[in-house]
Amino acid sequence: MSQDNGLFIYGIVPSDVEPTPDAEGVGSPPGEVSAVRHGELAALVSAVGLDEPLGRPADLTAYERLLDGTAEVAPVLPVRFGTVVTGEDAVADLLDAHHDRFAAALDEFEDRVQYTVHGRFDEPEFIGGMLTGNPDAAALADQVRGRPEAQSREQRIRLGEIISQAVELNRESQNRDLLDAVGRYAEADAVRPPSHEMDAVRVAFLVAGDHEDEFIRAVEDFAEQRRELIRMRLIGPLAPYDFVSAHQLAE
């Protein structure tokens, strides 16, 4: 390997995992993905220039696509995005130093994948319902309607605070309801922070292969019951980003 190049590490897998010939890594052009093996483990890697800027949306997409595709056929421990080492010897040292912990974690995550349930309130529907049930908020809405912002600033701020508080309370309730509805079909769950001010639910689940169909049906039922209020997405199967990483195990 050139002294100007390093190895980008994607994840840790069992030693018998082989990257597909069409697997593409980060960089422009995309790097060729290979496996560095040590004992029962292997690391999925690709060569990158040590001075090459990483972090473009295309790089993150390539990282996730490789790990998520791998998770569908084999257990994988994600390595934090952007981890670059000097060469194969450094990869082998990492695998050797944490061999037993990595191997045990891979056994634990055999035939398990992550799904993330993400829902966002329909803003007009949510605010309309909130105003119907909150006379104080409705009065503030009447006071700001049709008035210039400068003349109704105080009322607008207060109304925004009420809406924000209502979203937060409803988000907590919806997350609890989601856990009650589908949690029985998951091995673990992790409530994630909202990515948008109108997020209604955002929860990651670790799901075993023999419960995937039941889990998906339960999520679909949950979404159908709220289809007027919440726009739901089921994202997955994914690598278990929210439940394990090689960095966490190596600490």
PDB file of all heavy atoms in Angstrom, residues 121 126-127 129-131 134 137 159-174 197-199:
ATOM      1  N   PHE A 121     -45.369  14.070  12.702  1.00  0.00           N
ATOM      2  CA  PHE A 121     -46.733  14.599  12.733  1.00  0.00           C
ATOM      3  C   PHE A 121     -47.025  15.373  11.453  1.00  0.00           C
ATOM      4  O   PHE A 121     -46.183  16.125  10.958  1.00  0.00           O
ATOM      5  CB  PHE A 121     -46.930  15.533  13.924  1.00  0.00           C
ATOM      6  CG  PHE A 121     -46.952  14.858  15.263  1.00  0.00           C
ATOM      7  CD1 PHE A 121     -45.975  15.125  16.211  1.00  0.00           C
ATOM      8  CD2 PHE A 121     -47.958  13.962  15.581  1.00  0.00           C
ATOM      9  CE1 PHE A 121     -45.996  14.509  17.455  1.00  0.00           C
ATOM     10  CE2 PHE A 121     -47.994  13.339  16.823  1.00  0.00           C
ATOM     11  CZ  PHE A 121     -47.008  13.606  17.761  1.00  0.00           C
ATOM     12  N   PHE A 126     -51.973  18.179  13.211  1.00  0.00           N
ATOM     13  CA  PHE A 126     -51.622  18.225  14.626  1.00  0.00           C
ATOM     14  C   PHE A 126     -52.028  19.558  15.248  1.00  0.00           C
ATOM     15  O   PHE A 126     -52.665  19.599  16.313  1.00  0.00           O
ATOM     16  CB  PHE A 126     -50.120  18.004  14.806  1.00  0.00           C
ATOM     17  CG  PHE A 126     -49.681  18.035  16.245  1.00  0.00           C
ATOM     18  CD1 PHE A 126     -49.705  16.886  17.013  1.00  0.00           C
ATOM     19  CD2 PHE A 126     -49.280  19.225  16.843  1.00  0.00           C
ATOM     20  CE1 PHE A 126     -49.323  16.924  18.354  1.00  0.00           C
ATOM     21  CE2 PHE A 126     -48.911  19.274  18.171  1.00  0.00           C
ATOM     22  CZ  PHE A 126     -48.934  18.114  18.931  1.00  0.00           C
ATOM     23  N   ILE A 127     -51.669  20.660  14.583  1.00  0.00           N
ATOM     24  CA  ILE A 127     -51.958  21.971  15.155  1.00  0.00           C
ATOM     25  C   ILE A 127     -53.464  22.218  15.211  1.00  0.00           C
ATOM     26  O   ILE A 127     -53.987  22.758  16.197  1.00  0.00           O
ATOM     27  CB  ILE A 127     -51.243  23.073  14.356  1.00  0.00           C
ATOM     28  CG1 ILE A 127     -49.727  22.937  14.550  1.00  0.00           C
ATOM     29  CG2 ILE A 127     -51.714  24.458  14.799  1.00  0.00           C
ATOM     30  CD1 ILE A 127     -48.912  23.928  13.743  1.00  0.00           C
ATOM     31  N   GLY A 129     -55.838  19.968  15.619  1.00  0.00           N
ATOM     32  CA  GLY A 129     -56.367  19.218  16.753  1.00  0.00           C
ATOM     33  C   GLY A 129     -55.976  19.830  18.073  1.00  0.00           C
ATOM     34  O   GLY A 129     -56.779  19.867  19.019  1.00  0.00           O
ATOM     35  N   MET A 130     -54.740  20.331  18.157  1.00  0.00           N
ATOM     36  CA  MET A 130     -54.285  20.945  19.396  1.00  0.00           C
ATOM     37  C   MET A 130     -55.074  22.212  19.710  1.00  0.00           C
ATOM     38  O   MET A 130     -55.472  22.449  20.853  1.00  0.00           O
ATOM     39  CB  MET A 130     -52.780  21.248  19.283  1.00  0.00           C
ATOM     40  CG  MET A 130     -52.122  21.691  20.599  1.00  0.00           C
ATOM     41  SD  MET A 130     -52.216  23.474  20.849  1.00  0.00           S
ATOM     42  CE  MET A 130     -51.210  24.056  19.486  1.00  0.00           C
ATOM     43  N   LEU A 131     -55.340  23.027  18.694  1.00  0.00           N
ATOM     44  CA  LEU A 131     -56.100  24.265  18.911  1.00  0.00           C
ATOM     45  C   LEU A 131     -57.541  23.963  19.324  1.00  0.00           C
ATOM     46  O   LEU A 131     -58.123  24.669  20.150  1.00  0.00           O
ATOM     47  CB  LEU A 131     -56.089  25.122  17.645  1.00  0.00           C
ATOM     48  CG  LEU A 131     -54.726  25.694  17.227  1.00  0.00           C
ATOM     49  CD1 LEU A 131     -54.861  26.500  15.944  1.00  0.00           C
ATOM     50  CD2 LEU A 131     -54.122  26.551  18.336  1.00  0.00           C
ATOM     51  N   ASN A 134     -57.410  23.168  23.051  1.00  0.00           N
ATOM     52  CA  ASN A 134     -56.705  24.088  23.947  1.00  0.00           C
ATOM     53  C   ASN A 134     -57.219  25.512  23.701  1.00  0.00           C
ATOM     54  O   ASN A 134     -56.749  26.209  22.789  1.00  0.00           O
ATOM     55  CB  ASN A 134     -55.195  24.011  23.684  1.00  0.00           C
ATOM     56  CG  ASN A 134     -54.375  24.799  24.706  1.00  0.00           C
ATOM     57  OD1 ASN A 134     -54.763  25.878  25.129  1.00  0.00           O
ATOM     58  ND2 ASN A 134     -53.225  24.244  25.081  1.00  0.00           N
ATOM     59  N   ALA A 137     -54.541  28.328  23.495  1.00  0.00           N
ATOM     60  CA  ALA A 137     -53.793  28.337  22.238  1.00  0.00           C
ATOM     61  C   ALA A 137     -54.664  28.854  21.096  1.00  0.00           C
ATOM     62  O   ALA A 137     -54.194  29.604  20.230  1.00  0.00           O
ATOM     63  CB  ALA A 137     -53.278  26.934  21.927  1.00  0.00           C
ATOM     64  N   LEU A 159     -47.486  31.183  21.497  1.00  0.00           N
ATOM     65  CA  LEU A 159     -48.156  30.117  20.764  1.00  0.00           C
ATOM     66  C   LEU A 159     -47.143  29.056  20.314  1.00  0.00           C
ATOM     67  O   LEU A 159     -47.416  27.845  20.407  1.00  0.00           O
ATOM     68  CB  LEU A 159     -48.881  30.690  19.543  1.00  0.00           C
ATOM     69  CG  LEU A 159     -49.638  29.691  18.661  1.00  0.00           C
ATOM     70  CD1 LEU A 159     -50.702  28.946  19.465  1.00  0.00           C
ATOM     71  CD2 LEU A 159     -50.255  30.396  17.463  1.00  0.00           C
ATOM     72  N   GLY A 160     -45.985  29.497  19.863  1.00  0.00           N
ATOM     73  CA  GLY A 160     -44.949  28.541  19.465  1.00  0.00           C
ATOM     74  C   GLY A 160     -44.506  27.670  20.628  1.00  0.00           C
ATOM     75  O   GLY A 160     -44.269  26.466  20.459  1.00  0.00           O
ATOM     76  N   GLU A 161     -44.401  28.250  21.822  1.00  0.00           N
ATOM     77  CA  GLU A 161     -44.027  27.477  23.010  1.00  0.00           C
ATOM     78  C   GLU A 161     -45.087  26.429  23.338  1.00  0.00           C
ATOM     79  O   GLU A 161     -44.760  25.282  23.688  1.00  0.00           O
ATOM     80  CB  GLU A 161     -43.836  28.420  24.204  1.00  0.00           C
ATOM     81  CG  GLU A 161     -42.606  29.317  24.079  1.00  0.00           C
ATOM     82  CD  GLU A 161     -42.539  30.353  25.190  1.00  0.00           C
ATOM     83  OE1 GLU A 161     -43.570  30.560  25.872  1.00  0.00           O
ATOM     84  OE2 GLU A 161     -41.452  30.955  25.374  1.00  0.00           O
ATOM     85  N   ILE A 162     -46.351  26.809  23.234  1.00  0.00           N
ATOM     86  CA  ILE A 162     -47.440  25.864  23.520  1.00  0.00           C
ATOM     87  C   ILE A 162     -47.419  24.706  22.523  1.00  0.00           C
ATOM     88  O   ILE A 162     -47.559  23.534  22.906  1.00  0.00           O
ATOM     89  CB  ILE A 162     -48.800  26.589  23.493  1.00  0.00           C
ATOM     90  CG1 ILE A 162     -48.899  27.577  24.657  1.00  0.00           C
ATOM     91  CG2 ILE A 162     -49.942  25.577  23.565  1.00  0.00           C
ATOM     92  CD1 ILE A 162     -50.155  28.435  24.620  1.00  0.00           C
ATOM     93  N   ILE A 163     -47.225  25.037  21.253  1.00  0.00           N
ATOM     94  CA  ILE A 163     -47.175  23.983  20.232  1.00  0.00           C
ATOM     95  C   ILE A 163     -45.992  23.059  20.471  1.00  0.00           C
ATOM     96  O   ILE A 163     -46.114  21.830  20.404  1.00  0.00           O
ATOM     97  CB  ILE A 163     -47.102  24.607  18.821  1.00  0.00           C
ATOM     98  CG1 ILE A 163     -48.405  25.342  18.495  1.00  0.00           C
ATOM     99  CG2 ILE A 163     -46.826  23.537  17.773  1.00  0.00           C
ATOM    100  CD1 ILE A 163     -48.350  26.148  17.212  1.00  0.00           C
ATOM    101  N   SER A 164     -44.832  23.643  20.787  1.00  0.00           N
ATOM    102  CA  SER A 164     -43.634  22.836  21.028  1.00  0.00           C
ATOM    103  C   SER A 164     -43.835  21.895  22.215  1.00  0.00           C
ATOM    104  O   SER A 164     -43.455  20.712  22.161  1.00  0.00           O
ATOM    105  CB  SER A 164     -42.436  23.758  21.277  1.00  0.00           C
ATOM    106  OG  SER A 164     -41.275  23.008  21.552  1.00  0.00           O
ATOM    107  N   GLN A 165     -44.432  22.405  23.278  1.00  0.00           N
ATOM    108  CA  GLN A 165     -44.698  21.570  24.454  1.00  0.00           C
ATOM    109  C   GLN A 165     -45.686  20.453  24.123  1.00  0.00           C
ATOM    110  O   GLN A 165     -45.521  19.310  24.575  1.00  0.00           O
ATOM    111  CB  GLN A 165     -45.227  22.433  25.591  1.00  0.00           C
ATOM    112  CG  GLN A 165     -44.199  23.382  26.173  1.00  0.00           C
ATOM    113  CD  GLN A 165     -44.817  24.419  27.108  1.00  0.00           C
ATOM    114  OE1 GLN A 165     -46.027  24.419  27.360  1.00  0.00           O
ATOM    115  NE2 GLN A 165     -43.983  25.319  27.623  1.00  0.00           N
ATOM    116  N   ALA A 166     -46.687  20.781  23.321  1.00  0.00           N
ATOM    117  CA  ALA A 166     -47.677  19.772  22.939  1.00  0.00           C
ATOM    118  C   ALA A 166     -47.039  18.681  22.093  1.00  0.00           C
ATOM    119  O   ALA A 166     -47.331  17.490  22.265  1.00  0.00           O
ATOM    120  CB  ALA A 166     -48.829  20.425  22.187  1.00  0.00           C
ATOM    121  N   VAL A 167     -46.157  19.068  21.162  1.00  0.00           N
ATOM    122  CA  VAL A 167     -45.461  18.076  20.343  1.00  0.00           C
ATOM    123  C   VAL A 167     -44.615  17.166  21.228  1.00  0.00           C
ATOM    124  O   VAL A 167     -44.622  15.935  21.068  1.00  0.00           O
ATOM    125  CB  VAL A 167     -44.576  18.763  19.281  1.00  0.00           C
ATOM    126  CG1 VAL A 167     -43.670  17.749  18.595  1.00  0.00           C
ATOM    127  CG2 VAL A 167     -45.444  19.472  18.244  1.00  0.00           C
ATOM    128  N   GLU A 168     -43.878  17.750  22.154  1.00  0.00           N
ATOM    129  CA  GLU A 168     -43.001  16.959  23.014  1.00  0.00           C
ATOM    130  C   GLU A 168     -43.799  15.956  23.845  1.00  0.00           C
ATOM    131  O   GLU A 168     -43.411  14.783  23.954  1.00  0.00           O
ATOM    132  CB  GLU A 168     -42.197  17.883  23.923  1.00  0.00           C
ATOM    133  CG  GLU A 168     -41.171  17.149  24.774  1.00  0.00           C
ATOM    134  CD  GLU A 168     -40.278  18.101  25.557  1.00  0.00           C
ATOM    135  OE1 GLU A 168     -40.302  19.316  25.269  1.00  0.00           O
ATOM    136  OE2 GLU A 168     -39.573  17.624  26.460  1.00  0.00           O
ATOM    137  N   LEU A 169     -44.905  16.403  24.437  1.00  0.00           N
ATOM    138  CA  LEU A 169     -45.729  15.502  25.241  1.00  0.00           C
ATOM    139  C   LEU A 169     -46.322  14.396  24.384  1.00  0.00           C
ATOM    140  O   LEU A 169     -46.337  13.217  24.784  1.00  0.00           O
ATOM    141  CB  LEU A 169     -46.836  16.284  25.945  1.00  0.00           C
ATOM    142  CG  LEU A 169     -46.405  17.195  27.089  1.00  0.00           C
ATOM    143  CD1 LEU A 169     -47.577  18.044  27.571  1.00  0.00           C
ATOM    144  CD2 LEU A 169     -45.833  16.370  28.243  1.00  0.00           C
ATOM    145  N   ASN A 170     -46.800  14.744  23.209  1.00  0.00           N
ATOM    146  CA  ASN A 170     -47.371  13.739  22.322  1.00  0.00           C
ATOM    147  C   ASN A 170     -46.301  12.784  21.807  1.00  0.00           C
ATOM    148  O   ASN A 170     -46.564  11.597  21.629  1.00  0.00           O
ATOM    149  CB  ASN A 170     -48.087  14.419  21.154  1.00  0.00           C
ATOM    150  CG  ASN A 170     -49.514  14.813  21.493  1.00  0.00           C
ATOM    151  OD1 ASN A 170     -50.437  14.045  21.301  1.00  0.00           O
ATOM    152  ND2 ASN A 170     -49.683  16.016  22.012  1.00  0.00           N
ATOM    153  N   ARG A 171     -45.103  13.289  21.565  1.00  0.00           N
ATOM    154  CA  ARG A 171     -44.010  12.426  21.122  1.00  0.00           C
ATOM    155  C   ARG A 171     -43.701  11.373  22.184  1.00  0.00           C
ATOM    156  O   ARG A 171     -43.533  10.190  21.880  1.00  0.00           O
ATOM    157  CB  ARG A 171     -42.767  13.257  20.827  1.00  0.00           C
ATOM    158  CG  ARG A 171     -41.575  12.436  20.348  1.00  0.00           C
ATOM    159  CD  ARG A 171     -40.334  13.302  20.238  1.00  0.00           C
ATOM    160  NE  ARG A 171     -40.541  14.392  19.309  1.00  0.00           N
ATOM    161  CZ  ARG A 171     -40.285  15.672  19.583  1.00  0.00           C
ATOM    162  NH1 ARG A 171     -39.842  16.022  20.785  1.00  0.00           N
ATOM    163  NH2 ARG A 171     -40.484  16.604  18.677  1.00  0.00           N
ATOM    164  N   GLU A 172     -43.619  11.796  23.426  1.00  0.00           N
ATOM    165  CA  GLU A 172     -43.356  10.841  24.505  1.00  0.00           C
ATOM    166  C   GLU A 172     -44.450   9.785  24.568  1.00  0.00           C
ATOM    167  O   GLU A 172     -44.170   8.590  24.734  1.00  0.00           O
ATOM    168  CB  GLU A 172     -43.249  11.587  25.841  1.00  0.00           C
ATOM    169  CG  GLU A 172     -42.032  12.489  25.951  1.00  0.00           C
ATOM    170  CD  GLU A 172     -42.033  13.307  27.230  1.00  0.00           C
ATOM    171  OE1 GLU A 172     -43.004  13.173  28.015  1.00  0.00           O
ATOM    172  OE2 GLU A 172     -41.080  14.074  27.449  1.00  0.00           O
ATOM    173  N   SER A 173     -45.689  10.206  24.400  1.00  0.00           N
ATOM    174  CA  SER A 173     -46.814   9.280  24.437  1.00  0.00           C
ATOM    175  C   SER A 173     -46.773   8.317  23.257  1.00  0.00           C
ATOM    176  O   SER A 173     -46.987   7.100  23.417  1.00  0.00           O
ATOM    177  CB  SER A 173     -48.122  10.065  24.439  1.00  0.00           C
ATOM    178  OG  SER A 173     -49.239   9.207  24.367  1.00  0.00           O
ATOM    179  N   GLN A 174     -46.488   8.829  22.066  1.00  0.00           N
ATOM    180  CA  GLN A 174     -46.455   7.975  20.880  1.00  0.00           C
ATOM    181  C   GLN A 174     -45.308   6.963  20.954  1.00  0.00           C
ATOM    182  O   GLN A 174     -45.472   5.798  20.554  1.00  0.00           O
ATOM    183  CB  GLN A 174     -46.322   8.831  19.612  1.00  0.00           C
ATOM    184  CG  GLN A 174     -47.502   9.732  19.324  1.00  0.00           C
ATOM    185  CD  GLN A 174     -48.760   8.969  18.939  1.00  0.00           C
ATOM    186  OE1 GLN A 174     -48.722   7.786  18.615  1.00  0.00           O
ATOM    187  NE2 GLN A 174     -49.893   9.655  18.967  1.00  0.00           N
ATOM    188  N   GLU A 197     -38.425  19.016  14.527  1.00  0.00           N
ATOM    189  CA  GLU A 197     -39.289  19.516  15.601  1.00  0.00           C
ATOM    190  C   GLU A 197     -40.665  18.882  15.603  1.00  0.00           C
ATOM    191  O   GLU A 197     -41.336  18.857  16.642  1.00  0.00           O
ATOM    192  CB  GLU A 197     -39.420  21.038  15.491  1.00  0.00           C
ATOM    193  CG  GLU A 197     -40.039  21.512  14.199  1.00  0.00           C
ATOM    194  CD  GLU A 197     -40.056  23.025  14.059  1.00  0.00           C
ATOM    195  OE1 GLU A 197     -39.454  23.690  14.919  1.00  0.00           O
ATOM    196  OE2 GLU A 197     -40.669  23.533  13.111  1.00  0.00           O
ATOM    197  N   MET A 198     -41.113  18.322  14.456  1.00  0.00           N
ATOM    198  CA  MET A 198     -42.433  17.699  14.398  1.00  0.00           C
ATOM    199  C   MET A 198     -42.342  16.167  14.428  1.00  0.00           C
ATOM    200  O   MET A 198     -43.336  15.497  14.125  1.00  0.00           O
ATOM    201  CB  MET A 198     -43.181  18.142  13.137  1.00  0.00           C
ATOM    202  CG  MET A 198     -43.574  19.610  13.119  1.00  0.00           C
ATOM    203  SD  MET A 198     -44.628  20.103  14.522  1.00  0.00           S
ATOM    204  CE  MET A 198     -46.125  19.170  14.172  1.00  0.00           C
ATOM    205  N   ASP A 199     -41.191  15.617  14.805  1.00  0.00           N
ATOM    206  CA  ASP A 199     -41.095  14.166  14.908  1.00  0.00           C
ATOM    207  C   ASP A 199     -42.071  13.637  15.948  1.00  0.00           C
ATOM    208  O   ASP A 199     -42.192  14.186  17.049  1.00  0.00           O
ATOM    209  CB  ASP A 199     -39.672  13.743  15.298  1.00  0.00           C
ATOM    210  CG  ASP A 199     -38.782  13.533  14.081  1.00  0.00           C
ATOM    211  OD1 ASP A 199     -39.262  13.735  12.953  1.00  0.00           O
ATOM    212  OD2 ASP A 199     -37.615  13.147  14.270  1.00  0.00           O
TER     213      ASP A 199
END
